[in-house]
Amino acid sequence: MPSSHRGSSPSVEPNHSDLEKQENDVPSKPGPAPTSEYPDGGLQAWLVVLGGFMCNFVAFGYVSSYGVFQAYYTEHLLPNESPSALAWIGSIQAFMLFFPAFFGGALFDIGWFKIPLLISCCALVLFTFLVGQCTKYWHFLLCQGIASGFAGGMMFSPIMTVLGHWWLKRRGLAYGVIALGSSFGGVSIPILVRRLIPRVGFPWTMRILGFLFLALLTILNLTMKRRLPANPGQGFKTAWDHRLFTQNLVLSLYVLAGFFAFLGFYVVIIFIDIAAVSHGVDANFSFYLVSILNGVSAVGRLSAGRISDIVGPGNTVIPSLIAAAAVTYGFPFAKDRTGFILIAIFYGLASGAYIATFIVPIYGFGEMKDLGKRMGMAMTLGSFAALAGPPIAGALVKSHGYPAAGYFGGTCMIVGLALIVTVRFLHLKGAVAGKF
């Protein structure tokens, strides 16, 4: 996809053999590398995918599992806190997963990758251990919401950026496989937590979870490798470069669409467990709803990633967002176990397809030299939606019940959908058919 600020005579990006000698060079007019320069497979490319899978298992799997944590906090550790207050822990964790992306992305562009990655992984493991020692609301907000979320965010942004160094024709498939990590994490972590707490207690449950994260993040650090040289000439002082948006209307509208979509995205994920309990579903079963949702989302993630390589990621995002909005509207009307299982299955499919493809179009909205910065800024802006959405929905649940929260989440997604359709219209210059 062309960028509105691309140079008129782009040069060819250096290939793998030139990487070492050109590592500190600053290209005068870099442009997109020819297709032949992208491996699109091979051992190292798949190792990068494996590392990204581990990153998503830990970072996104942890966030996606907050529903089971909220249910436990509501019933046992923090029974005097409102649903809205407890939702702030999960929403801040999701917010921090995206907010530092502009910082991590800018560091990646200028060459800082492995050291920040290692520090972030160590921090996430440490704060996971500390969650087990928390006893008060502000303890959980600090350790699980802010600190763990920030560490995950510093990992996530550069991992998604380095993927673009290795994949082009099959980038959707590669990203779909990486996105499977959050599905596996979202299935495994709630079951692990729910099963371990009665046996070993909450503190040791979090320690076991921390050791699991340590093993997976060790694999992440061993498999990550950048292929293209850094661009240290741009410096870190332009980490937030508003020109990327002011000079690129398509990118600006797409990022705004993501903001509205994420404002309603987590409503079902966070509230399906406690909503089921409020309708009489056994609490020993309701926590499985989050695992069912995340498990089914694996199908949506992998299939959407493959389909996006054929029809285009934007053309895949649109129907997935339509389906996610429809299920969010219908979520409050589930009244029994069967109804909530169906909601979990259909939302898992739709949300998985959206998560697997929503970020891929950003690769094509500019040049590879500032990909980290471009993706980082987009994620950071989207983080404010993840921060605000769940507490707003929680407040609506408290004042007007679950239908109001469902209407809120579904409507936000519809607004995001309208903006994405506008982006498609601009990109295809009004054509009905075309790859986007």
Side-chain angles (χ1 to χ4, degrees), residues 416-429:
L417 173 66
L419 289 168
I420 294 175
V421 171
T422 302
V423 170
R424 185 184 188 279
F425 177 84
L426 293 174
H427 173 66
L428 298 180
K429 298 180 180 178

Side-chain angles (χ1 to χ4, degrees), residues 281-311:
V281 177
D282 188 349
N284 291 322
F285 173 80
S286 65
F287 87 95
Y288 281 109
L289 292 169
V290 178
S291 295
I292 293 171
L293 189 156
N294 287 318
V296 174
S297 74
V299 179
R301 293 168 196 263
L302 191 59
S303 58
R306 186 68 189 97
I307 292 171
S308 72
D309 288 331
I310 301 172
V311 304

Side-chain angles (χ1 to χ4, degrees), residues 57-80:
F57 184 104
V58 175
F60 264 101
Y62 196 7
V63 170
S64 298
S65 303
Y66 183 70
V68 74
F69 285 99
Q70 173 153 339
Y72 182 74
Y73 298 159
T74 300
E75 297 167 11
H76 301 284
L77 297 183
L78 302 169
N80 296 324

Side-chain angles (χ1 to χ4, degrees), residues 96 100 119-121 123-124 127 146-156:
M96 297 305 293
I119 294 173
S120 301
C121 292
L124 181 57
F127 285 108
I146 298 174
S148 296
F150 183 86
M154 287 297 293
M155 293 170 7
F156 177 66

